[in-house]
Amino acid sequence: MGYERRLLRVNLSRRTTAIETIPPGLCELFVGGRGLGAAMLYAAQPAHVDPLGEENRIIFLAGPLAGTAAQSASRWMVCTKSPLTGGYARSVGGADFAAWLRFAGYDSVIVEGKSEEPAYIHLTPQGCEILDAEDLWGKDTVKTQEMLTETHGDKTRVACIGPGGERLVRYAAIVSGRRTASRCGVGAVMGSKNLKALAITAGRSVRVFDPEGFKKLAAEQGRLFRESGQFKEHKEWGTTATQNVTNSLGIFPTHNFRYGQLKDCERIYGEEYRKLRTGDFGCYNCSAQCGKAHRVTTGPYAGAYSEGPEYESIWAFTAPIDSISIEASIRADQLCDDLGIDTISAGNCVAFAYELYERGIIDRSDTDGIELVYGDHQTMVKLIRKIGLREGFGSILAEGTVRASRDIGRGAEAYAIHAKGMELPAYEPRGAKSQGFNYATSNIGGSHCYGYAAQEVFGVPFPRPINRFEEAKNADIVIGNQDSAATGEVGIICNFSRGWGWFPANFGGLLAAATGIEASADPVFLRKLGERIVNVERAFNVREGFGRADDRLPSRILNEPLHTLGAPGEGEIVREMEEFLDRYYELRGWTGNGAPTPGKLTELGLTELTKNMPAKD
Ligand code: SF4
């Protein structure tokens, strides 16, 4: 048999480890990756546990294609309950950690309980140990990985937290290499368990169900990539030039989401980043190598080096505070990776503070004496360090914009730009409505990856061309984007690669050849698979008490007209929030309160799994 269907369960409270087989039937229904993560978390976790408490579980997953000859398919994922949103969390990382998890013979690691002292987990094909991490605690993510590789040798790969996770920053990341599973605060969950790292030592070997068939399909995938224009473009630029597109469209959120265009944005276009580029890097077995490293050689940030920033982080450290300093963005990105915090939430929290200061809601007595003025990037860098270390005012921002606004009071809530408590990414919802509705209905909160609307940003005419200013009419597009992203993350494939010609047909064939689950090659099964996953994630949130009122965009997006510098979209707001939800729920087969109906759960084979989901209407 290929695809080990083996999981490692580690209980840090009892200091026990056990190797288990993934329950029969679960793989056939969910295949792997995100599907298994959602189902296992739903089944194992009681409702209403404290996300930073002992009862919360954190599940690490590699997909069935990880470590194989299939390209762009070795991403890893974490599923848990989010300390930022209080709901379902799924966060994805790159580099080669997923491949190493498979090399060690595991598809998943479930971590339960809490260690009394700092600890790390060391896995090998022979077994697993829980080891003392006293000397690693307090170290940044670079030093932590260096020390663990020194201890366990070159054949070791690590996923770890930095000081941000240790100090329970609610949007702390988990870092492997210089790639991060950064959203939803998954790093804080590790920190709450006193778990510094997972280290895996293994040689390169992974089995597939049908080696000959797999080899042919992997060769076909390589051909499809080589012939894809989008692949070539991505290899050349990664996402370092996406701002050229979004700023021209008027969907580059500026001044804490007040405007859709940044003045003098050409100064931070991809061509400018390229001048500081020092090399390419990427994830395990991906010929795109889309990571672009940058080094600053002059000025106040001389010496700053980052394996990034990519588009989201370029945005997070420029437009929200009206900065056009590429150098500051590189330094801020490096700091976030070192400290282990999410760049998107960090950038939002800083911009939120700048706006509160501008409006006189806070002053120097709140900010440790620091003046916050739009355009001042040096203060942004200072604040990021304070957030990651939870120092002074930084500790308030480390709670995320929603909790920080409650703490500050004085009307601050109006300037928290989030969905379900997670800060919004780099696409302005008033000029890209389906992207916005995806944020609102995403089960993990404000995430672009949950159902990226490439139709609006890049004009992809699939499954049909759409007008980016139309609203309820495009509910089917939002659903299709969300379900298709979920299907790909069964692999776990890279979201970028879905446009390179191999998805879904070649992908489905590779899944079947890897796992022996023949249904995976069937396009109808694949479509249902994505829908099934989104429904389990929704059921998790319903059980936690989420409903229609949580499927919402921030008040600024619903009430305050967008301003651009001439791009289409001037004066736009999101008008049809309720009409959209009615249509979206109807098409999904959910109740008017956003819960899957018994009929929908039966259709998707989820009745047994979700039997303890309360009716929510
Ligand atoms: S395209 Fe980039 S992010 Fe995606 S797998 Fe390849 S190197 Fe990693």
Side-chain angles (χ1 to χ4, degrees), residues 52 61 87 183 239 242-243 259 277 396 406 421 454 458 500 510 528 533 569 595:
L52 296 177
L61 300 128
R183 305 235 66 199
T239 59
T242 305
Q243 63 278 20
Y259 312 117
R277 196 188 287 179
I396 293 172
R406 285 189 202 130
F458 297 108
W500 302 343
L510 281 162
K528 276 279 168 228
I533 294 167

Side-chain angles (χ1 to χ4, degrees), residues 71-75 93-95 179 225 231 234-235 238-239 281-291 492-497 500:
Q71 288 197 53
S72 313
S74 290
R75 310 274 294 169
R179 295 274 169 153
F225 277 24
F231 168 80
H234 195 71
K235 188 174 171 64
T239 59
F281 68 102
C283 306
Y284 182 85
N285 192 23
C286 176
S287 52
Q289 296 289 291
C290 80
I492 301 167
I493 69 168
C494 178
N495 259 324
F496 297 129
S497 76
W500 302 343

Side-chain angles (χ1 to χ4, degrees), residues 523-560:
V524 178
F525 174 85
L526 284 180
R527 257 201 312 279
K528 276 279 168 228
L529 182 55
E531 187 186 2
R532 183 174 295 131
I533 294 167
V534 171
N535 273 265
V536 175
E537 294 171 348
R538 174 59 56 148
F540 184 97
N541 278 353
V542 170
R543 203 174 53 169
E544 295 292 338
F546 284 70
R548 184 179 183 115
D550 299 292
D551 287 337
R552 200 141 296 274
L553 285 163
S555 63
R556 166 161 285 167
I557 305 298
L558 299 176
N559 300 307
E560 197 177 306

Side-chain angles (χ1 to χ4, degrees), residues 555-589:
S555 63
R556 166 161 285 167
I557 305 298
L558 299 176
N559 300 307
E560 197 177 306
L562 176 68
H563 295 298
T564 67
L565 299 171
E570 175 64 33
E572 279 287 329
I573 57 168
V574 168
R575 293 180 182 81
E576 298 176 5
M577 190 73 239
E578 299 308 328
E579 293 89 331
F580 173 84
L581 288 180
D582 287 342
R583 182 79 185 125
Y584 177 92
Y585 294 160
E586 184 193 341
L587 291 175
R588 278 240 175 255

Side-chain angles (χ1 to χ4, degrees), residues 151-174:
T151 305
H152 296 291
D154 285 352
K155 291 182 179 168
T156 301
R157 297 296 183 275
V158 174
C160 68
I161 56 169
E166 294 173 12
R167 288 164 170 81
L168 310 182
V169 173
R170 283 190 188 263
Y171 41 91
I174 303 174

